[in-house]
């Protein structure tokens, strides 16, 4: 009995630790809510860098999770007015120079958006990390006094995704550190890192997102959040083809 007593005294401590440790799905769900909220509106700068050239886009985006996203380019002048709209699993691009709206087929969702390292799906979020994948914590580490969890996410049966798995690094306050995307041969295709944590829209978020091609480190795209508001009311007709073509 004396030998059992220390173990019995320690059992509540182990139970508390187990209850306080987050699950993989909780971390990913919290991360998505931190980054997007239920709805949001923001201004962003996208800088596309290659070995030979660099170009910069000024963007505005609206999102009504989980089904609607609208992105519009404001600058440079030659690309101003180009927009992308998603409603559920359908996506359209609008090209003002030819006044043409193009529906993007599902097979094109992983194609680069405006020549960047972000795909159409990355920008308009057709797939949901928390809904389309199963999540398992594989480890953790301490960074600057904060616990960072490693989460491996694998597709659920029949989920409409193409990545064989995703590997996240997420802080215990649900701020993401990085995510690596793996292709069908289980090779790393690209990695996004999050940095420059600031308070915007009433919450602490990473304001610089850098996507790098795994096979070409000189090919990268950096998104910087200039301003953002979360859980904002959005106009009922905002996510329509009419508003995609004509913002007024």
């Amino acid at each position: 009995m004396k030998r059992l007593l220390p173990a019995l005294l320690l059992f509540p401590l182990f139970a508390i630790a187990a209850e306080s440790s987050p699950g993989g799905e909780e971390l990913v769900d919290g991360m998505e809510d931190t980054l997007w909220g239920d709805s949001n509106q923001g201004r962003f700068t996208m800088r596309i860098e290659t070995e030979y050239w660099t170009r910069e886009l000024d963007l505005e985006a609206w999102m009504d999770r989980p089904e609607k996203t609208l992105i519009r380019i404001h600058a440079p002048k030659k690309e101003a007015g180009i927009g992308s709209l998603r409603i559920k699993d359908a996506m359209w691009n609008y090209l003002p120079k030819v006044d043409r709206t193009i529906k993007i087929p599902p097979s094109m969702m992983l194609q680069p958006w405006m020549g960047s390292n972000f795909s159409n799906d990355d920008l308009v979020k057709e797939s949901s990390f928390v809904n389309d994948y199963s999540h398992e914590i594989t480890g953790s580490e301490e960074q600057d006094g904060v616990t960072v969890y490693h989460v491996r996410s694998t597709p659920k049966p029949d989920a409409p995704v193409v990545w064989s798995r995703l590997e996240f690094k997420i802080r215990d306050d649900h701020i993401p550190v990085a995510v690596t995307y793996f292709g069908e041969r289980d090779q790393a295709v690209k990695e996004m890192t999050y940095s420059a944590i600031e308070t915007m829209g009433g919450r602490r978020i990473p304001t610089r997102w850098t996507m790098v091609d795994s096979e070409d480190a000189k090919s990268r795209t950096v998104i910087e959040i200039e301003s953002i508001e979360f859980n904002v009311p959005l106009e009922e007709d905002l996510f329509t083809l009419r508003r995609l073509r004509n913002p007024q």
Side-chain angles (χ1 to χ4, degrees):
M1 182 67 182
K2 289 183 179 179
R3 292 181 179 179
L4 289 174
L5 187 58
L8 292 173
L9 292 174
L10 288 173
F11 179 78
L13 299 178
F14 292 138
I16 292 172
E19 289 177 3
S20 62
S21 297
E25 183 172 330
E26 177 189 344
L27 285 165
V28 174
D29 187 34
M31 177 197 73
E32 290 197 310
D33 184 64
T34 295
L35 293 178
W36 307 114
D38 292 329
S39 64
N40 62 74
Q41 177 180 1
R43 294 294 294 257
F44 308 82
T45 298
M46 172 182 279
R47 188 172 66 256
I48 305 167
E49 304 174 358
T50 72
E51 185 177 1
Y52 304 104
W53 52 266
T54 298
R55 58 196 284 257
E56 194 166 280
L57 304 174
D58 177 17
L59 311 175
E60 187 170 10
W62 301 260
M63 180 182 290
D64 186 7
R65 293 182 68 214
E67 296 184 338
K68 300 174 183 178
T69 305
L70 174 64
I71 300 174
R72 193 178 306 282
I73 298 176
H74 290 298
K77 185 176 180 180
K78 67 177 182 178
E79 284 147 337
I82 292 176
S84 295
L85 171 68
R86 177 183 70 89
I87 302 174
K88 296 183 179 180
D89 59 355
M91 178 178 173
W92 298 265
N93 285 343
Y94 174 63
L95 306 176
K97 284 189 175 180
V98 293
D99 192 23
R100 184 180 178 192
T101 302
I102 303 172
K103 189 171 184 180
I104 307 300
S107 60
M108 297 290 287
M109 289 304 294
L110 286 181
Q111 293 300 306
W113 189 83
M114 296 300 295
S116 72
N117 296 83
F118 287 82
S119 68
N120 289 313
D121 182 69
D122 292 329
L123 265 293
V124 300
K125 304 301 295 177
E126 178 194 4
S127 58
S128 167
F129 292 143
V130 71
N131 292 331
D132 293 335
Y133 294 83
S134 298
H135 311 282
E136 174 190 8
I137 295 178
T138 59
S140 65
E141 60 184 292
E142 294 294 316
Q143 290 186 8
D144 301 322
V146 178
T147 302
V148 176
Y149 292 95
H150 297 198
V151 180
R152 177 179 297 152
S153 302
T154 53
K156 293 180 180 179
D158 301 322
V161 298
V162 300
W163 305 117
S164 64
R165 63 186 166 100
L166 303 168
E167 291 191 357
F168 292 94
K169 293 182 180 179
I170 305 172
R171 295 172 23 148
D172 56 10
D173 57 3
H174 297 154
I175 294 177
V177 175
V179 55
T180 305
Y181 301 77
F182 289 81
E184 58 184 11
R185 297 180 181 178
D186 206 35
Q187 84 283 11
V189 174
K190 58 185 180 180
E191 181 181 54
M192 179 139 73
T193 56
Y194 301 84
S195 59
I197 297 173
E198 298 180 22
T199 299
M200 281 192 179
R203 61 179 68 184
R204 285 176 56 75
I205 58 171
T207 62
R208 183 181 300 118
W209 307 0
T210 304
M211 187 78 84
V212 180
D213 190 319
S214 296
E215 295 185 353
D216 183 4
K218 295 180 180 179
S219 174
R220 65 179 57 210
T221 300
V222 181
I223 290 180
E224 298 207 26
I225 303 176
E226 304 298 335
S227 65
I228 191 167
E229 295 294 331
F230 297 96
N231 302 327
V232 294
L234 299 173
E235 297 177 46
E236 199 168 304
D237 69 340
L238 177 63
F239 303 98
T240 62
L241 291 177
R242 182 185 66 81
R243 288 291 292 274
L244 175 64
R245 293 188 297 268
N246 182 3
Q248 304 302 322

